[in-house]
Amino acid sequence: MSAEKKNNEVVLVTLEQPCTACLIACRLTEEIIEKVRKRDGDFPFRIIRLKHIREIKDVEGLEVEKFPAVIIDGEQVTAGTFPNPEMLKYYIYGEES
Amino acid sequence: MNSKELVMNAIHNKEVERTPWVPFVGCHAAKLIGVTATEFFRSADLIYDGVMKAYEEYNPDGLPALFDLQIEAEALGCELQYADTNPPSVQTHILEQGKTLDDLKIPTEKDGRFPVALESLRRIVASLGDKIAIYGLITGPFTLALHLKGTDIFFAMYDNPEETHKLMRFCTDVAKHTAKMYMDAGADIIAVVDPMTSQISPDTFHEFVTPYCTEIFEYIRENGKAGSFFVCGNAKNNIEEMCSCKPENVSIDENIPLDYVRDVCREHGISFGGNIKLTLTILFGSPTDNIQDAQNCMAIGGNKGFILAPGCDIPFDAPAENLKAVTSVVHGNISDIVEDESALAGVEYELPDYANEKQVIMDVITLDSESCAPCQYMMEAVRTAADPYGDKVKYIEHKIKDKESVVCMMKLGVQNIPTICIDGDVKYVSIIPDYQELSDVIGEYVSRKEK
């Protein structure tokens, strides 16, 4: 029997004015996510650019305030590091028989 | 010793009379002159004007000529997306689009935006080169490799290390050539900015970064200049490897504790710099927050081999008064900033009549000893020296977060914090006196009262 197939939303969180390093890391993270989308099937994906740190509390699932942060189905999976594409695939699609 | 000498001595790990301050003004310079980052990064005139404005506003000891880690990638054929309030970002990776390494040539001063970068650097050096240290920033080889190849490099390092080494070889040659162009144009210090190395382990750093960056820093030294290794992000695990590349200086952001970097760098005889918090403090904090952060950094860094700097390039919209607050700490005139910030109309504070008080009164002006390290040390020194005198001495901490304390500070004529005043006399400004000296001075005041 197959596990229930997930198709969770991926949210990439960054600052509107990040430092140079975060800017590069955010763009590369976006590319990783887009590659998974293209290769493995579409899923909802959006980017949140925070204007102020006050807005952090409004982001569901954001716990570690290091950016860029990737949140999948309301659970933070990365904080300032690049996501592994296979890990992303697992979190997004779950296990399939 | 002028500002330039201050930076050059500090970067060569010497003791200096005060901490040098190098604000990494990148796209923020565009805001200072009222233009967008999109316009700024494409114009030598605007880059020059922006840097000159930063010099005027922030009284720095050094400045980068241009903070843009995309110049080399663009000159090699990567497409950029420009933004009005951020540096540009790489959108395409040339080695993912059918090009091979053999198709690429090392950029010359005529390629991409190098003419703009070099013209502005030469003009900045001509205007400021005898006054402050000018930094030429180059993209570190690993970050450049990521720009050219994209994140597939992380797999290539394991699947095809030989090809990765070839890519790193090419990126190192680009870095050296860019450094040479900037050095010939007059830059005093070459900062090798390689933030993406914070994403790899020390072993991977050792294999794919250390040999190449060591070569770059040796090359910079051979040309008579100093090299700074600048990595933002959580690079704590790689600090030892960074030091083994033998730069003159290592510069970090707030992800890494400054005392940790200080200790590792000192073991290697290397200077270090940082690390005022970019977002929490510089962009979103108050001038007082910036004073506190700067003071904490300076307390950790000390006066030997330390350069005070933000964690990375200053955000476009960073309030100028926050950077000026840091300048005030460095130059010892915090009172101007604090008075401006406080809006003191209607706030009163009456100083005691010291001569007629039975007790010796010690007024200790601080930011807040609970959150500011130098302030905490100052209060501890006062407690330790004054407590043995019992009732004869009373000490009061005046935290300038409170407006009454600011008025007190002004009335006492205090210019910097932390400061100890004894019976209305300013005695110790930013210097923590040792126990014996302070105890003896308190004793003199007590004796005078008893006569």
Side-chain angles (χ1 to χ4, degrees), chain A residues 16-17 20 31 35 66 80, chain B residues 86 93 96 255 313 317:
Chain A
E16 196 171 71
Q17 290 183 17
T20 284
E31 287 177 17
K35 275 182 183 169
K66 287 188 188 297
Chain B
N86 278 317
H93 309 290
E96 275 188 341
N255 279 285
D313 61 324
D317 278 324

Side-chain angles (χ1 to χ4, degrees), chain B residues 358 360 389 392 443-451:
Chain B
K358 287 195 177 123
V360 170
Y389 288 96
K392 295 179 184 173
E444 285 167 19
Y445 276 84
V446 168
S447 299
R448 246 181 267 163
K449 279 257 148 95
E450 284 172 346
K451 279 181 188 159

